[in-house]
Amino acid sequence: MSTPVQPSAADGLPGQRTTSDVQLPVDLRRVILAVPGVTEVFPSRPLWQRLPARAAALITSDEPQDQDLPLVEKRSDGGPTEVSVRIGVSAGKSGAPGLSGVPGTPGTLGTPDVARAVAAAVRNHFSPEQVVARVSVVRIAGDFLTGG
Amino acid sequence: MTDPLVPDRLDLVPDALLVSRAADGDTAAFETLARRYGPLMRACARRLTGSYADADDVVQEALVQAWKQLDTLREPGAVKSWLLRLTGSRSIDFLRRRRNHAGFGDIDEVSGKGDVGSPEAGPEAKAVQGSSIESLKAALARLPEEQRRCWVLKEFNGQSYDQIAQTLNISTASVRGRLARARITLVREMEEWR
Amino acid sequence: MSMPNDNLECGHTLEELSLYLDTGEFADPRHLETCPDCRNGLDSLRRLTAAGSELLSNDLAAAGSGNDPWMKNILASLKLELRPGRDIPLRSDDPADRLTETEGSVFALIRSVADATPGAVAGKVRLHGDVTVPGEPITVSVDLAVAFGHPFMRSAAALRLDLAKALARHTELNIAGIDITITDVIDPSAAQAPDPAPQEES
């Protein structure tokens, strides 16, 4: 199990729980969003979502909202830092630019691949420090649903 | 597109299916339900709270509660009456909070802020307008608050005696009595203006 | 004058009549058929009920439509908790990492694939079996509403195939079967009626 670096900040912004040798989660968020197939970074906790109209604004917004920052936790037993990330993934067109957009069509980046790529990006971001990545896909959105 | 269910496919879908989807986490289905019954919720909340601004706050609270408790809805097809029940409860909560906050009385509630009717208007003035609706509005506005709430919860929100009793935290017998007194007064005032 | 009083001359009260109107309960039902006081009282109460329905209709029309700005404002400020369901494990490149996708995200995937089928809309979705254990056989069930008169049956096989492909690509579940149940038939022309919601020019 793990506990927040600053337990007293449990009700505050998860993103503020950082240690001196850990990059700011706001940078991490940018790194995660840069992984192909990732459409959203969700707040670590509590889990919530806006209705679709607002969700679209979140995706396109350049400025991360405070609660959207990934959670960086340090294990209480002195083990490696754990980084928890909750993401939304595209099932369709925007998942892999330039590739076929039909779901299930070869060429679309699969969700497990996206999750693994995010884990790798997290590890790379904190390198050389060893971290453990916890990646949870909480939304797989199909662009093919409404056609825009 | 030749698909008959596109583009507003969810708008055509029956309540029960939208409830199933929303209970599974589909916000789009929930939004469709909200748009479908939002106006009715708003109308009921406005009659209870006296203004659209307050009604909109109430509708928002009721929708948040509905999202949280959707999986407790035994009969998905009955979502309309369920939403109206939540709207009634949240409206009454809102009125209680406002009373506590205001410290004394419920002057706003009784006079109903303009569009609910003016207590000062005499029978003659109202009779000129001739409509039974106008006389009902005026009579409603003059009703004691507790009776008015019973009447609106019954006739607008469609709640049963037991549900109203729960919402108002009074006995079913009290609901019966208040509702009857409300109706007697309303009938009497409306007949006077005939 | 037949102005109603609380106590009618026949000995019954308007409260009893009010209750009768809502519940159909009355101590002496045959009395109601013959007593002019009670009938007048009931008529008055029914006129009140009718006026109440009319007032509600007026209020409803005045409240606007679900596409109005007030509704958009309410929807835009709603914060809804995600419904994650069970955590479905995904293989990780590094054994220390823990990668998962939520059951809720897979539901959404299944819905969106089903919704893309012409003439069909997904309803309830379920994953039967222990999705938290890799390799466990999982059966998918999808409820579906289809448009009346639309040749859906030809599409059912295609949908099953699309679902199988999408699940293979976006999950690592061992899908043992996909059950599609048609639970509703929608008549698009009839279904339009309940919420016409024309945008009023303001």
Side-chain angles (χ1 to χ4, degrees), chain A residues 49 108 111 116 123 135 137, chain C residues 80 91 97 100 102 169-170:
Chain A
Q49 62 190 326
T108 309
T111 293
R116 284 187 279 271
R123 287 179 168 277
V135 179
V137 178
Chain C
L80 306 178
R91 281 192 305 272
D97 291 346
T100 56
T102 63
R169 183 147 297 271
H170 292 291

Side-chain angles (χ1 to χ4, degrees), chain A residues 35-38 90-101 105-110 114 143:
Chain A
V35 174
V38 175
S90 170
K93 293 163 192 161
S94 66
L99 298 174
S100 170
T105 306
T108 309
L109 210 51
V114 176
D143 299 344

Side-chain angles (χ1 to χ4, degrees), chain B residues 2-5 8-14 17 20-27 30-31 34-36 38-40 42-44 46-47 52 56-57 59-60 63-64 66-68 70 131-133 136-137 140 151 154-156 161 173 176-177 179-184 186-188 190-192 194, chain C residues 2-6 14-15 18-19 21-23 44-45 47-49 51-52 54-56 58-60 62-67 70-71 73-75 77-83 104 107 111 114-126 144-147 150 183-184 186 188 191-192 195:
Chain B
T2 55
D3 190 335
L5 295 186
D8 298 320
R9 55 173 67 228
L10 289 180
D11 284 340
L12 308 179
V13 162
L17 186 137
S20 299
R21 287 178 68 123
D24 278 359
D26 183 13
T27 51
F30 186 72
E31 181 178 333
R35 282 191 283 107
R36 188 174 289 178
L40 188 52
R42 190 184 200 216
C44 292
R46 206 269 311 230
R47 252 318 133 195
Y52 282 128
D56 288 353
D57 288 347
V59 170
Q60 187 170 326
L63 287 174
V64 168
W67 174 260
K68 281 184 188 155
L70 258 182
S131 143
S132 60
I133 290 203
L136 175 57
K137 274 196 212 168
L140 258 182
W151 189 86
K154 181 77 183 71
E155 306 296 342
F156 271 50
Y161 285 28
R176 206 160 50 223
L179 190 58
R181 280 197 297 283
R183 283 171 171 166
I184 291 163
L186 292 174
V187 160
R188 187 175 293 145
M190 288 179 68
E191 305 259 318
E192 275 174 19
R194 281 166 70 83
Chain C
S2 63
M3 216 195 13
N5 292 306
D6 296 29
L14 272 174
E15 178 168 349
S18 163
L19 188 65
L21 217 56
D22 290 329
T23 64
S44 295
L45 287 170
R47 275 198 297 275
L48 173 61
T49 303
E54 214 181 322
L55 179 59
L56 176 54
N58 276 16
D59 281 5
L60 180 56
S65 100
N67 298 314
W70 64 269
M71 191 75 225
N73 287 340
I74 289 175
L75 293 174
S77 49
L78 280 185
K79 268 177 153 187
L80 306 178
E81 283 170 44
L82 287 170
R83 303 198 204 286
F107 284 174
R111 277 195 303 267
D115 285 348
T117 306
V121 175
K124 188 165 80 177
V125 173
R126 285 294 173 267
L144 219 57
V146 298
H150 204 78
T183 56
D184 297 88
I186 300 170
Q192 208 90 42
D195 186 21

Side-chain angles (χ1 to χ4, degrees), chain C:
Chain C
M1 289 291 285
S2 63
M3 216 195 13
N5 292 306
D6 296 29
N7 293 300
L8 305 171
E9 291 193 10
C10 63
H12 288 290
T13 64
L14 272 174
E15 178 168 349
E16 289 173 80
L17 296 182
S18 163
L19 188 65
Y20 168 74
L21 217 56
D22 290 329
T23 64
E25 292 167 21
F26 198 77
D28 180 9
R30 271 191 304 181
H31 169 84
L32 290 178
E33 291 166 22
T34 55
C35 173
D37 290 337
C38 284
R39 297 184 72 143
N40 283 337
L42 280 175
D43 284 349
S44 295
L45 287 170
R46 290 200 176 104
R47 275 198 297 275
L48 173 61
T49 303
S53 314
E54 214 181 322
L55 179 59
L56 176 54
S57 301
N58 276 16
D59 281 5
L60 180 56
S65 100
N67 298 314
D68 287 348
W70 64 269
M71 191 75 225
K72 292 199 170 98
N73 287 340
I74 289 175
L75 293 174
S77 49
L78 280 185
K79 268 177 153 187
L80 306 178
E81 283 170 44
L82 287 170
R83 303 198 204 286
R86 295 175 284 182
D87 278 339
I88 303 172
L90 299 172
R91 281 192 305 272
S92 60
D93 292 331
D94 189 305
D97 291 346
R98 184 164 175 268
L99 312 185
T100 56
E101 59 190 351
T102 63
E103 189 174 24
S105 71
V106 176
F107 284 174
L109 172 73
I110 292 169
R111 277 195 303 267
S112 60
V113 171
D115 285 348
T117 306
V121 175
K124 188 165 80 177
V125 173
R126 285 294 173 267
L127 298 175
H128 303 280
D130 191 348
V131 294
T132 64
V133 178
E136 281 288 296
I138 303 299
T139 303
V140 180
S141 70
V142 188
D143 288 351
L144 219 57
V146 298
F148 177 74
H150 204 78
F152 173 75
M153 292 322 288
R154 264 183 298 161
S155 320
L159 171 57
R160 195 171 277 112
L161 197 61
D162 283 348
L163 284 172
K165 280 196 219 161
L167 288 164
R169 183 147 297 271
H170 292 291
T171 76
E172 291 169 348
L173 293 169
N174 170 21
I175 302 297
I178 299 174
D179 296 334
I180 297 171
T181 309
I182 296 175
T183 56
D184 297 88
V185 177
I186 300 170
D187 184 347
S189 53
Q192 208 90 42
D195 186 21
Q199 281 281 46
E200 291 266 314
E201 198 62 48
S202 59

Side-chain angles (χ1 to χ4, degrees), chain B:
Chain B
M1 280 279 191
T2 55
D3 190 335
L5 295 186
V6 171
D8 298 320
R9 55 173 67 228
L10 289 180
D11 284 340
L12 308 179
V13 162
D15 288 356
L17 186 137
L18 292 177
V19 168
S20 299
R21 287 178 68 123
D24 278 359
D26 183 13
T27 51
F30 186 72
E31 181 178 333
T32 303
L33 278 173
R35 282 191 283 107
R36 188 174 289 178
Y37 295 117
L40 188 52
M41 296 166 77
R42 190 184 200 216
C44 292
R46 206 269 311 230
R47 252 318 133 195
L48 285 164
T49 63
S51 78
Y52 282 128
D54 293 339
D56 288 353
D57 288 347
V58 164
V59 170
Q60 187 170 326
E61 280 185 31
L63 287 174
V64 168
Q65 186 184 5
W67 174 260
K68 281 184 188 155
Q69 299 179 355
L70 258 182
D71 55 338
T72 68
L73 186 58
R74 289 250 178 88
E75 192 64 59
V79 68
K80 175 183 169 184
S81 60
W82 184 64
L83 287 173
L84 288 180
R85 211 153 67 231
L86 296 181
T87 303
S89 302
R90 297 286 70 77
S91 297
I92 297 304
D93 283 355
F94 172 86
L95 293 173
R96 287 195 186 115
R97 284 202 303 269
R98 185 163 73 187
R99 171 174 306 197
N100 292 340
H101 195 68
F104 73 95
D106 48 1
I107 298 153
D108 277 357
E109 294 171 44
V110 175
S111 64
K113 285 182 186 168
D115 56 20
V116 186
S118 161
E120 288 79 26
E124 294 87 353
K126 285 294 169 187
V128 171
Q129 292 178 293
S131 143
S132 60
I133 290 203
E134 289 307 318
S135 55
L136 175 57
K137 274 196 212 168
L140 258 182
R142 293 208 274 222
L143 224 48
E145 183 58 29
E146 53 180 29
Q147 291 182 25
R148 194 161 67 87
R149 288 179 189 178
C150 273
W151 189 86
V152 174
L153 288 173
K154 181 77 183 71
E155 306 296 342
F156 271 50
N157 297 62
Q159 296 192 13
S160 70
Y161 285 28
D162 286 343
Q163 288 163 352
I164 297 173
Q166 257 189 329
T167 300
L168 295 177
N169 200 20
I170 58 179
S171 69
T172 307
S174 299
V175 173
R176 206 160 50 223
R178 284 183 195 182
L179 190 58
R181 280 197 297 283
R183 283 171 171 166
I184 291 163
T185 308
L186 292 174
V187 160
R188 187 175 293 145
E189 299 211 1
M190 288 179 68
E191 305 259 318
E192 275 174 19
W193 299 336
R194 281 166 70 83

